[in-house]
Amino acid sequence: VSGKIGVKNQGDRAAFDMAMLEALPQHSFTTRTPWFDKPVKFTGPLLADVLAAVKASGNTVGAVAINDYRISIPVADARKYEVIVARLIDGQPMPVREKGPLFVVYPFDSAAELRTSTFYERSIWQLKALDIQ
């Protein structure tokens, strides 16, 4: 995590390993997505908790995937919805070939407004970095 953050542990950024993400409060929800043929249970810390852990102060999260796909996520989304930085899918770690090891996921089944291309595009898999602006 880089950008407008108040807590850093690696130069000008905050680096998380899986154990650090596991140490944050864990949340789960089961939701339908465009990428799986049945509802899937996602588990991990809330994006809001990750942002709080680094004392993020920006309004936008620039999320970057392993393949350099980039998307902007409003920080307000993390507050309004229970967006998870999923590290488990149906209780199992996600290998890279199955969208892992981290997947930002919205609880699509919790509100009709979330079942649109806008929110599907913000659900970035193979997450490698967050930049707070």
mmCIF file with all atom_site columns, all heavy atoms in Angstrom, residues 13 19 29 32 46 49 51 56 58 65 67 72 74 93 96 109 111 116:
data_model
loop_
_atom_site.group_PDB
_atom_site.id
_atom_site.type_symbol
_atom_site.label_atom_id
_atom_site.label_alt_id
_atom_site.label_comp_id
_atom_site.label_asym_id
_atom_site.label_entity_id
_atom_site.label_seq_id
_atom_site.pdbx_PDB_ins_code
_atom_site.Cartn_x
_atom_site.Cartn_y
_atom_site.Cartn_z
_atom_site.occupancy
_atom_site.B_iso_or_equiv
_atom_site.pdbx_formal_charge
_atom_site.auth_seq_id
_atom_site.auth_comp_id
_atom_site.auth_asym_id
_atom_site.auth_atom_id
_atom_site.pdbx_PDB_model_num
ATOM 1   N N   . ARG A 1 13  ? 6.096   2.821   1.903   1.00 0.00 ? 13  ARG A N   1
ATOM 2   C CA  . ARG A 1 13  ? 4.863   2.043   1.724   1.00 0.00 ? 13  ARG A CA  1
ATOM 3   C C   . ARG A 1 13  ? 4.630   1.109   2.902   1.00 0.00 ? 13  ARG A C   1
ATOM 4   O O   . ARG A 1 13  ? 5.503   0.916   3.730   1.00 0.00 ? 13  ARG A O   1
ATOM 5   C CB  . ARG A 1 13  ? 4.877   1.278   0.410   1.00 0.00 ? 13  ARG A CB  1
ATOM 6   C CG  . ARG A 1 13  ? 6.028   0.288   0.256   1.00 0.00 ? 13  ARG A CG  1
ATOM 7   C CD  . ARG A 1 13  ? 6.121   -0.328  -1.144  1.00 0.00 ? 13  ARG A CD  1
ATOM 8   N NE  . ARG A 1 13  ? 6.372   0.687   -2.138  1.00 0.00 ? 13  ARG A NE  1
ATOM 9   C CZ  . ARG A 1 13  ? 5.665   0.841   -3.264  1.00 0.00 ? 13  ARG A CZ  1
ATOM 10  N NH1 . ARG A 1 13  ? 4.705   0.027   -3.551  1.00 0.00 ? 13  ARG A NH1 1
ATOM 11  N NH2 . ARG A 1 13  ? 5.957   1.794   -4.111  1.00 0.00 ? 13  ARG A NH2 1
ATOM 12  N N   . ALA A 1 19  ? -0.024  -13.355 6.635   1.00 0.00 ? 19  ALA A N   1
ATOM 13  C CA  . ALA A 1 19  ? -0.248  -13.420 8.083   1.00 0.00 ? 19  ALA A CA  1
ATOM 14  C C   . ALA A 1 19  ? -0.779  -12.091 8.613   1.00 0.00 ? 19  ALA A C   1
ATOM 15  O O   . ALA A 1 19  ? -1.651  -12.073 9.503   1.00 0.00 ? 19  ALA A O   1
ATOM 16  C CB  . ALA A 1 19  ? 1.040   -13.810 8.799   1.00 0.00 ? 19  ALA A CB  1
ATOM 17  N N   . PHE A 1 29  ? -18.838 -13.424 3.144   1.00 0.00 ? 29  PHE A N   1
ATOM 18  C CA  . PHE A 1 29  ? -20.171 -13.389 2.563   1.00 0.00 ? 29  PHE A CA  1
ATOM 19  C C   . PHE A 1 29  ? -20.184 -14.330 1.372   1.00 0.00 ? 29  PHE A C   1
ATOM 20  O O   . PHE A 1 29  ? -19.141 -14.650 0.801   1.00 0.00 ? 29  PHE A O   1
ATOM 21  C CB  . PHE A 1 29  ? -20.626 -11.978 2.180   1.00 0.00 ? 29  PHE A CB  1
ATOM 22  C CG  . PHE A 1 29  ? -19.732 -11.218 1.232   1.00 0.00 ? 29  PHE A CG  1
ATOM 23  C CD1 . PHE A 1 29  ? -19.600 -11.586 -0.106  1.00 0.00 ? 29  PHE A CD1 1
ATOM 24  C CD2 . PHE A 1 29  ? -19.042 -10.111 1.676   1.00 0.00 ? 29  PHE A CD2 1
ATOM 25  C CE1 . PHE A 1 29  ? -18.793 -10.867 -0.972  1.00 0.00 ? 29  PHE A CE1 1
ATOM 26  C CE2 . PHE A 1 29  ? -18.224 -9.379  0.813   1.00 0.00 ? 29  PHE A CE2 1
ATOM 27  C CZ  . PHE A 1 29  ? -18.104 -9.760  -0.517  1.00 0.00 ? 29  PHE A CZ  1
ATOM 28  N N   . ARG A 1 32  ? -23.256 -14.242 -5.640  1.00 0.00 ? 32  ARG A N   1
ATOM 29  C CA  . ARG A 1 32  ? -23.111 -14.617 -7.042  1.00 0.00 ? 32  ARG A CA  1
ATOM 30  C C   . ARG A 1 32  ? -22.206 -13.585 -7.708  1.00 0.00 ? 32  ARG A C   1
ATOM 31  O O   . ARG A 1 32  ? -22.210 -12.415 -7.317  1.00 0.00 ? 32  ARG A O   1
ATOM 32  C CB  . ARG A 1 32  ? -24.467 -14.635 -7.733  1.00 0.00 ? 32  ARG A CB  1
ATOM 33  C CG  . ARG A 1 32  ? -25.352 -15.796 -7.279  1.00 0.00 ? 32  ARG A CG  1
ATOM 34  C CD  . ARG A 1 32  ? -26.756 -15.648 -7.767  1.00 0.00 ? 32  ARG A CD  1
ATOM 35  N NE  . ARG A 1 32  ? -27.344 -14.519 -7.017  1.00 0.00 ? 32  ARG A NE  1
ATOM 36  C CZ  . ARG A 1 32  ? -28.420 -13.840 -7.390  1.00 0.00 ? 32  ARG A CZ  1
ATOM 37  N NH1 . ARG A 1 32  ? -29.042 -14.146 -8.494  1.00 0.00 ? 32  ARG A NH1 1
ATOM 38  N NH2 . ARG A 1 32  ? -28.883 -12.849 -6.654  1.00 0.00 ? 32  ARG A NH2 1
ATOM 39  N N   . LEU A 1 46  ? -11.991 -6.642  5.653   1.00 0.00 ? 46  LEU A N   1
ATOM 40  C CA  . LEU A 1 46  ? -12.681 -5.584  4.927   1.00 0.00 ? 46  LEU A CA  1
ATOM 41  C C   . LEU A 1 46  ? -11.639 -4.641  4.333   1.00 0.00 ? 46  LEU A C   1
ATOM 42  O O   . LEU A 1 46  ? -10.613 -4.354  4.967   1.00 0.00 ? 46  LEU A O   1
ATOM 43  C CB  . LEU A 1 46  ? -13.589 -4.791  5.867   1.00 0.00 ? 46  LEU A CB  1
ATOM 44  C CG  . LEU A 1 46  ? -14.795 -5.505  6.458   1.00 0.00 ? 46  LEU A CG  1
ATOM 45  C CD1 . LEU A 1 46  ? -15.509 -4.582  7.448   1.00 0.00 ? 46  LEU A CD1 1
ATOM 46  C CD2 . LEU A 1 46  ? -15.750 -5.977  5.376   1.00 0.00 ? 46  LEU A CD2 1
ATOM 47  N N   . ASP A 1 49  ? -10.886 -1.988  6.709   1.00 0.00 ? 49  ASP A N   1
ATOM 48  C CA  . ASP A 1 49  ? -9.938  -2.316  7.785   1.00 0.00 ? 49  ASP A CA  1
ATOM 49  C C   . ASP A 1 49  ? -8.494  -2.237  7.289   1.00 0.00 ? 49  ASP A C   1
ATOM 50  O O   . ASP A 1 49  ? -7.601  -1.823  8.033   1.00 0.00 ? 49  ASP A O   1
ATOM 51  C CB  . ASP A 1 49  ? -10.226 -3.696  8.363   1.00 0.00 ? 49  ASP A CB  1
ATOM 52  C CG  . ASP A 1 49  ? -11.509 -3.730  9.197   1.00 0.00 ? 49  ASP A CG  1
ATOM 53  O OD1 . ASP A 1 49  ? -12.008 -2.647  9.582   1.00 0.00 ? 49  ASP A OD1 1
ATOM 54  O OD2 . ASP A 1 49  ? -12.012 -4.841  9.454   1.00 0.00 ? 49  ASP A OD2 1
ATOM 55  N N   . LEU A 1 51  ? -7.463  -0.216  4.917   1.00 0.00 ? 51  LEU A N   1
ATOM 56  C CA  . LEU A 1 51  ? -7.199  1.218   4.811   1.00 0.00 ? 51  LEU A CA  1
ATOM 57  C C   . LEU A 1 51  ? -6.977  1.843   6.178   1.00 0.00 ? 51  LEU A C   1
ATOM 58  O O   . LEU A 1 51  ? -6.090  2.687   6.350   1.00 0.00 ? 51  LEU A O   1
ATOM 59  C CB  . LEU A 1 51  ? -8.344  1.909   4.066   1.00 0.00 ? 51  LEU A CB  1
ATOM 60  C CG  . LEU A 1 51  ? -8.580  1.459   2.624   1.00 0.00 ? 51  LEU A CG  1
ATOM 61  C CD1 . LEU A 1 51  ? -9.791  2.165   2.039   1.00 0.00 ? 51  LEU A CD1 1
ATOM 62  C CD2 . LEU A 1 51  ? -7.346  1.669   1.772   1.00 0.00 ? 51  LEU A CD2 1
ATOM 63  N N   . ALA A 1 56  ? -4.954  5.398   5.945   1.00 0.00 ? 56  ALA A N   1
ATOM 64  C CA  . ALA A 1 56  ? -5.140  5.994   4.622   1.00 0.00 ? 56  ALA A CA  1
ATOM 65  C C   . ALA A 1 56  ? -5.951  7.284   4.741   1.00 0.00 ? 56  ALA A C   1
ATOM 66  O O   . ALA A 1 56  ? -6.908  7.345   5.511   1.00 0.00 ? 56  ALA A O   1
ATOM 67  C CB  . ALA A 1 56  ? -5.851  5.005   3.699   1.00 0.00 ? 56  ALA A CB  1
ATOM 68  N N   . GLY A 1 58  ? -6.687  9.320   1.705   1.00 0.00 ? 58  GLY A N   1
ATOM 69  C CA  . GLY A 1 58  ? -7.143  9.771   0.397   1.00 0.00 ? 58  GLY A CA  1
ATOM 70  C C   . GLY A 1 58  ? -8.597  9.447   0.137   1.00 0.00 ? 58  GLY A C   1
ATOM 71  O O   . GLY A 1 58  ? -9.299  8.906   0.987   1.00 0.00 ? 58  GLY A O   1
ATOM 72  N N   . ALA A 1 65  ? -3.376  -5.113  -10.375 1.00 0.00 ? 65  ALA A N   1
ATOM 73  C CA  . ALA A 1 65  ? -3.297  -6.574  -10.402 1.00 0.00 ? 65  ALA A CA  1
ATOM 74  C C   . ALA A 1 65  ? -1.914  -7.022  -10.872 1.00 0.00 ? 65  ALA A C   1
ATOM 75  O O   . ALA A 1 65  ? -1.131  -6.228  -11.399 1.00 0.00 ? 65  ALA A O   1
ATOM 76  C CB  . ALA A 1 65  ? -4.354  -7.136  -11.347 1.00 0.00 ? 65  ALA A CB  1
ATOM 77  N N   . ASN A 1 67  ? -1.148  -8.623  -13.435 1.00 0.00 ? 67  ASN A N   1
ATOM 78  C CA  . ASN A 1 67  ? -0.971  -8.385  -14.875 1.00 0.00 ? 67  ASN A CA  1
ATOM 79  C C   . ASN A 1 67  ? -0.998  -6.897  -15.231 1.00 0.00 ? 67  ASN A C   1
ATOM 80  O O   . ASN A 1 67  ? -1.111  -6.528  -16.387 1.00 0.00 ? 67  ASN A O   1
ATOM 81  C CB  . ASN A 1 67  ? -2.022  -9.145  -15.682 1.00 0.00 ? 67  ASN A CB  1
ATOM 82  C CG  . ASN A 1 67  ? -3.430  -8.608  -15.462 1.00 0.00 ? 67  ASN A CG  1
ATOM 83  O OD1 . ASN A 1 67  ? -3.650  -7.688  -14.674 1.00 0.00 ? 67  ASN A OD1 1
ATOM 84  N ND2 . ASN A 1 67  ? -4.393  -9.185  -16.152 1.00 0.00 ? 67  ASN A ND2 1
ATOM 85  N N   . SER A 1 72  ? -9.702  2.238   -10.373 1.00 0.00 ? 72  SER A N   1
ATOM 86  C CA  . SER A 1 72  ? -9.869  3.147   -9.238  1.00 0.00 ? 72  SER A CA  1
ATOM 87  C C   . SER A 1 72  ? -11.122 2.754   -8.461  1.00 0.00 ? 72  SER A C   1
ATOM 88  O O   . SER A 1 72  ? -12.179 2.542   -9.060  1.00 0.00 ? 72  SER A O   1
ATOM 89  C CB  . SER A 1 72  ? -10.007 4.596   -9.719  1.00 0.00 ? 72  SER A CB  1
ATOM 90  O OG  . SER A 1 72  ? -8.788  5.036   -10.251 1.00 0.00 ? 72  SER A OG  1
ATOM 91  N N   . PRO A 1 74  ? -13.443 4.108   -5.282  1.00 0.00 ? 74  PRO A N   1
ATOM 92  C CA  . PRO A 1 74  ? -13.664 5.193   -4.323  1.00 0.00 ? 74  PRO A CA  1
ATOM 93  C C   . PRO A 1 74  ? -13.543 4.666   -2.885  1.00 0.00 ? 74  PRO A C   1
ATOM 94  O O   . PRO A 1 74  ? -14.087 3.605   -2.562  1.00 0.00 ? 74  PRO A O   1
ATOM 95  C CB  . PRO A 1 74  ? -15.092 5.648   -4.608  1.00 0.00 ? 74  PRO A CB  1
ATOM 96  C CG  . PRO A 1 74  ? -15.403 5.141   -5.985  1.00 0.00 ? 74  PRO A CG  1
ATOM 97  C CD  . PRO A 1 74  ? -14.607 3.876   -6.137  1.00 0.00 ? 74  PRO A CD  1
ATOM 98  N N   . PRO A 1 93  ? -7.455  -21.103 0.196   1.00 0.00 ? 93  PRO A N   1
ATOM 99  C CA  . PRO A 1 93  ? -6.632  -20.069 -0.435  1.00 0.00 ? 93  PRO A CA  1
ATOM 100 C C   . PRO A 1 93  ? -6.785  -20.121 -1.955  1.00 0.00 ? 93  PRO A C   1
ATOM 101 O O   . PRO A 1 93  ? -7.032  -21.187 -2.524  1.00 0.00 ? 93  PRO A O   1
ATOM 102 C CB  . PRO A 1 93  ? -5.205  -20.450 -0.024  1.00 0.00 ? 93  PRO A CB  1
ATOM 103 C CG  . PRO A 1 93  ? -5.357  -21.316 1.182   1.00 0.00 ? 93  PRO A CG  1
ATOM 104 C CD  . PRO A 1 93  ? -6.671  -22.039 1.001   1.00 0.00 ? 93  PRO A CD  1
ATOM 105 N N   . VAL A 1 96  ? -2.962  -18.255 -7.938  1.00 0.00 ? 96  VAL A N   1
ATOM 106 C CA  . VAL A 1 96  ? -2.953  -17.200 -8.951  1.00 0.00 ? 96  VAL A CA  1
ATOM 107 C C   . VAL A 1 96  ? -3.826  -17.596 -10.145 1.00 0.00 ? 96  VAL A C   1
ATOM 108 O O   . VAL A 1 96  ? -4.597  -16.775 -10.654 1.00 0.00 ? 96  VAL A O   1
ATOM 109 C CB  . VAL A 1 96  ? -1.506  -16.889 -9.409  1.00 0.00 ? 96  VAL A CB  1
ATOM 110 C CG1 . VAL A 1 96  ? -1.499  -15.982 -10.628 1.00 0.00 ? 96  VAL A CG1 1
ATOM 111 C CG2 . VAL A 1 96  ? -0.733  -16.242 -8.270  1.00 0.00 ? 96  VAL A CG2 1
ATOM 112 N N   . ASP A 1 109 ? -24.791 -9.596  -4.040  1.00 0.00 ? 109 ASP A N   1
ATOM 113 C CA  . ASP A 1 109 ? -26.169 -9.995  -3.756  1.00 0.00 ? 109 ASP A CA  1
ATOM 114 C C   . ASP A 1 109 ? -26.840 -9.126  -2.694  1.00 0.00 ? 109 ASP A C   1
ATOM 115 O O   . ASP A 1 109 ? -28.038 -9.240  -2.471  1.00 0.00 ? 109 ASP A O   1
ATOM 116 C CB  . ASP A 1 109 ? -26.227 -11.466 -3.332  1.00 0.00 ? 109 ASP A CB  1
ATOM 117 C CG  . ASP A 1 109 ? -25.976 -12.411 -4.490  1.00 0.00 ? 109 ASP A CG  1
ATOM 118 O OD1 . ASP A 1 109 ? -25.948 -11.950 -5.649  1.00 0.00 ? 109 ASP A OD1 1
ATOM 119 O OD2 . ASP A 1 109 ? -25.800 -13.611 -4.236  1.00 0.00 ? 109 ASP A OD2 1
ATOM 120 N N   . ALA A 1 111 ? -27.193 -5.802  -2.715  1.00 0.00 ? 111 ALA A N   1
ATOM 121 C CA  . ALA A 1 111 ? -27.887 -4.632  -3.260  1.00 0.00 ? 111 ALA A CA  1
ATOM 122 C C   . ALA A 1 111 ? -27.880 -4.693  -4.781  1.00 0.00 ? 111 ALA A C   1
ATOM 123 O O   . ALA A 1 111 ? -26.839 -4.943  -5.386  1.00 0.00 ? 111 ALA A O   1
ATOM 124 C CB  . ALA A 1 111 ? -27.201 -3.348  -2.798  1.00 0.00 ? 111 ALA A CB  1
ATOM 125 N N   . THR A 1 116 ? -23.741 -4.237  -11.396 1.00 0.00 ? 116 THR A N   1
ATOM 126 C CA  . THR A 1 116 ? -23.543 -3.480  -12.637 1.00 0.00 ? 116 THR A CA  1
ATOM 127 C C   . THR A 1 116 ? -22.075 -3.572  -13.036 1.00 0.00 ? 116 THR A C   1
ATOM 128 O O   . THR A 1 116 ? -21.215 -3.905  -12.214 1.00 0.00 ? 116 THR A O   1
ATOM 129 C CB  . THR A 1 116 ? -23.905 -1.991  -12.455 1.00 0.00 ? 116 THR A CB  1
ATOM 130 O OG1 . THR A 1 116 ? -22.986 -1.402  -11.526 1.00 0.00 ? 116 THR A OG1 1
ATOM 131 C CG2 . THR A 1 116 ? -25.340 -1.814  -11.956 1.00 0.00 ? 116 THR A CG2 1
#
